Amino acid sequence: GTIGGFDDYSGNQLSRAPEWKFTLTGEYEIPLGRFGSLTPRAQYTWQDDTFFRAFNKDFDLQEAYHLTDLKMIWNSPEQRWSVEAFIQNIENEAPKQNILVGPNFLGSPPLAWYGPPRFYGLQVGFKY
């Protein structure tokens, strides 16, 4: 509604402020003696509904979502070499990360940016 000619957003959720968000992370290094060590790592994040603008319209909403990342790290005994196998965003979620409405002279197009899709790979490291 409006109050005194101004839009009234009281009661709306704040922009970019989910009511709840939590992240759980765990890792454990497993010694392998002369073969170095192996460290599995897991991270889980859950985020509540989030509005990107004070209007709290459907376009402004990113519904609650969760993301899981896994990683396995091997380190050589002297920690000179490392190998990491990882997978990020196992669920392949694509949550909105930002939105805006474009300029009037272009017809005010709605624009949205989304998080990266599932991503996996292998990384090799060497310290000298």
Side-chain angles (χ1 to χ4, degrees):
T2 59
I3 296 176
F6 295 100
D7 291 332
D8 178 15
Y9 300 113
S10 61
N12 285 10
Q13 185 175 321
L14 290 173
S15 298
R16 302 174 188 274
E19 187 172 353
W20 293 98
K21 177 177 182 174
F22 66 83
T23 300
L24 300 172
T25 303
E27 70 177 43
Y28 183 77
E29 184 177 9
I30 303 165
L32 301 176
R34 63 188 182 107
F35 297 106
S37 66
L38 199 58
T39 305
R41 183 179 202 279
Q43 179 171 302
Y44 173 81
T45 299
W46 179 83
Q47 181 170 307
D48 206 353
D49 289 354
T50 306
F51 288 96
F52 286 93
R53 299 185 308 161
F55 308 113
N56 284 196
K57 304 286 186 197
D58 287 344
F59 172 69
D60 305 322
L61 175 65
Q62 168 55 60
E63 293 181 350
Y65 65 92
H66 55 102
L67 298 173
T68 307
D69 299 338
L70 296 176
K71 183 184 283 190
M72 182 67 74
I73 307 162
W74 172 80
N75 282 300
S76 65
E78 70 287 348
Q79 304 230 342
R80 197 156 196 186
W81 288 94
S82 65
V83 178
E84 295 183 11
F86 63 88
I87 181 167
Q88 298 171 339
N89 189 4
I90 291 174
E91 298 83 2
N92 204 24
E93 292 278 347
K96 289 179 189 173
Q97 292 186 327
N98 194 14
I99 66 163
L100 63 88
V101 175
N104 285 338
F105 71 88
L106 291 177
S108 302
L111 304 168
W113 287 260
Y114 293 87
R118 182 181 302 126
F119 183 69
Y120 53 90
L122 190 68
Q123 179 174 308
V124 177
F126 175 75
K127 294 179 185 172
Y128 56 92

